[in-house]
Amino acid sequence: MPKALITGITGQDGSYLAEFLLAQGYEVVGMVRRSSTINFHRIEHIQERITLTPGDLLDQVSLIHMLEEHRPDEVYNLAAQSFVQTSWAQPVFTGEATALGVTRLLDAIRIVDPQIRFYQASSSEMFGKVVETPQRETTPFYPRSPYGVAKVYGHWITVNYRESYGLHAVSGILFNHESPRRGLEFVTRKITHQVARIKLGLSRELRLGNLDARRDWGFAGDYVKAMWTMVNHDRPVDYVIATGETHSVEEFLNLAFNHAGLDWRDYVVQDPRFMRPAEVDLLVGDATKAGRELGWEPQVTFAGLVQMMVDADVKMLQDGVTPV
Ligand code: NAP
Ligand code: GDD
């Protein structure tokens, strides 16, 4: 039975990837960092079927011990300080986890077992102030936040370890992907959660920043399949993963409120607190190479994603589940 180790298993993507790998017959190990409160809500339903092991991207020795103990065939590095807005408030911490953390993990692999296959969670934020549209594997990077800069470092160190040490290491340049398990601070989930609260009479307004920003939004469940396909490709190659469609925050708002029978203009207040020092105005990816070489295609449409998220948030509140 192949064994995969996932960093960031408590996050959105980690939980979907763990489910996917279990269904493929993998033994799944998840790295978790110490926190004072349990944050396993996204993996509660599979906790009996996976092994959790302590570790932190900031702690090199913990990574070496973890690999020595579990001896995985594949490592998926999904852990990161992943919220762009926070990266301006905590730029050095973001660099430690999201940039240098990748080197620590690659070095641990090099030391313990260079045969381990490695996946790095690269991001469309690396394209930032885009120099080409749509963005593809050959588009130059122009990051617009400390997070984006850190991801560029993580991307290039993965390329470098592949070229320097012959590691089977790949980066997936994934565009935004969402789900009912998305963190409440990201704009899609912030909207769908608040739509559900407004619909159920629990709230009256939604405060947002820039409504004109455009993103290429897909479904996280589709994107974790691309990670696995990439790692199991015969050659280690980097791919863009995206839907090829772009929509504004306002379009997302419109669909989400409409789905609940509401008009967003009655509830949305623009709040400068949610504006960013430097914005990424437009992202839209070209995943032609992934389609051609990996056979990967997104399954969930933009409208389907918005509806899925609104419905899940309404149900969660109706069932009395505390939203997280
Ligand atoms: P997420 O929900 O924010 O999850 C991040 C995970 O990283 C959590 O499990 C978190 O653990 C863990 N983590 C953070 N710092 C850590 C550290 N120092 N040591 C160990 N674990 C740490 O993010 P996501 O949306 O699933 O994204 C997964 C990865 O893909 C991230 O690297 C993100 O930057 C990247 N990415 C995401 C998207 C997207 O649209 N979702 C697009 C492109 C790239 P705790 O639960 O303990 O906080
Ligand atoms: N979070 C948030 N909150 N964003 C807002 C708000 C708000 O109140 N109002 C407007 N926005 C705009 C942001 O300015 C941004 O242009 C857009 O909505 C999307 O913001 P986020 O959902 O926070 O995601 P992101 O695009 O910055 O980053 C996500 O996608 C990246 C891939 O492109 C994260 O998942 C990153 O980890 C990921 O790498």
Side-chain angles (χ1 to χ4, degrees):
M1 184 187 277
K3 192 190 272 193
L5 187 143
I6 303 172
T7 73
I9 197 164
T10 55
Q12 171 189 257
D13 289 7
S15 66
Y16 280 106
L17 181 63
E19 274 173 13
F20 178 82
L21 293 175
L22 286 172
Q24 301 300 313
Y26 276 71
E27 188 180 340
V28 175
V29 179
M31 184 183 91
V32 290
R33 57 179 175 165
R34 142 89 188 147
S35 69
S36 67
T37 44
I38 298 290
N39 62 349
F40 297 167
H41 53 274
R42 293 189 179 98
I43 48 171
E44 242 166 19
H45 59 297
I46 49 171
Q47 218 175 311
E48 300 301 312
R49 301 169 60 204
I50 61 181
T51 304
L52 297 180
T53 192
D56 195 306
L57 286 185
L58 304 188
D59 186 333
Q60 178 79 65
V61 171
S62 74
L63 303 178
I64 294 171
H65 282 162
M66 175 183 80
L67 295 184
E68 278 175 341
E69 184 182 347
H70 295 285
R71 293 283 173 170
D73 302 293
E74 297 167 15
V75 168
Y76 294 84
N77 183 34
L78 308 187
Q81 190 304 92
S82 73
F83 189 41
V84 172
Q85 185 106 37
T86 292
S87 76
W88 278 286
Q90 299 180 24
V92 175
F93 170 72
T94 301
E96 282 289 351
T98 306
L100 286 178
V102 187
T103 311
R104 293 191 189 97
L105 192 50
L106 283 165
D107 250 339
I109 288 174
R110 191 172 65 83
I111 291 164
V112 175
D113 178 4
Q115 295 308 312
I116 294 172
R117 291 187 173 210
F118 177 77
Y119 175 86
Q120 167 59 14
S122 284
S123 164
S124 50
E125 273 290 304
M126 301 190 302
F127 297 123
K129 189 172 177 182
V130 298
V131 300
E132 177 183 42
T133 294
Q135 297 84 51
R136 48 178 71 92
E137 291 81 2
T138 50
T139 303
F141 300 141
Y142 189 151
R144 290 276 277 173
S145 62
Y147 168 83
V149 173
K151 280 289 177 187
V152 171
Y153 176 95
H155 184 85
W156 280 113
I157 201 69
T158 302
V159 173
N160 182 260
Y161 270 53
R162 178 167 74 215
E163 294 177 355
S164 302
Y165 304 113
L167 298 187
H168 192 104
V170 299
S171 281
I173 307 175
L174 272 51
F175 282 63
N176 298 50
H177 46 279
E178 319 293 312
S179 74
R181 296 184 202 161
R182 187 58 142 153
L184 285 165
E185 67 275 36
F186 298 93
V187 77
T188 55
R189 183 77 197 291
K190 183 174 173 180
I191 293 171
T192 60
H193 172 59
Q194 204 60 10
V195 164
R197 285 180 55 82
I198 291 169
K199 184 180 166 72
L200 298 179
L202 301 170
S203 185
R204 285 215 44 81
E205 70 171 25
L206 167 56
R207 305 187 82 83
L208 290 173
N210 177 16
L211 306 188
D212 298 326
R214 302 183 73 85
R215 290 290 183 276
D216 180 330
W217 279 297
F219 171 53
D222 289 342
Y223 285 45
V224 298
K225 186 174 177 195
M227 297 175 186
W228 173 76
T229 313
M230 239 179 262
V231 167
N232 285 281
H233 194 48
D234 47 356
R235 287 174 301 115
V237 177
D238 305 328
Y239 292 94
V240 158
I241 300 297
T243 69
E245 277 183 37
T246 187
H247 298 275
S248 65
V249 173
E250 187 178 319
E251 282 173 71
F252 193 104
L253 267 179
N254 200 28
L255 272 183
F257 276 83
N258 276 349
H259 187 59
L262 303 165
D263 185 339
W264 69 270
R265 290 172 193 80
D266 296 334
Y267 303 97
V268 171
V269 179
Q270 274 196 288
D271 187 332
R273 279 186 306 146
F274 299 110
M275 304 295 281
R276 296 178 176 184
E279 180 61 285
V280 171
D281 297 318
L282 163 81
L283 291 176
V284 57
D286 176 358
T288 305
K289 184 173 149 187
R292 190 178 58 241
E293 296 181 9
L294 304 176
W296 181 85
E297 301 286 345
Q299 302 300 315
V300 176
T301 63
F302 178 63
L305 174 68
V306 177
Q307 288 168 20
M308 177 203 300
M309 291 177 70
V310 171
D311 289 344
D313 271 316
V314 171
K315 182 165 187 313
M316 201 177 279
L317 289 177
Q318 283 172 336
D319 292 350
V321 178
T322 310
V324 275

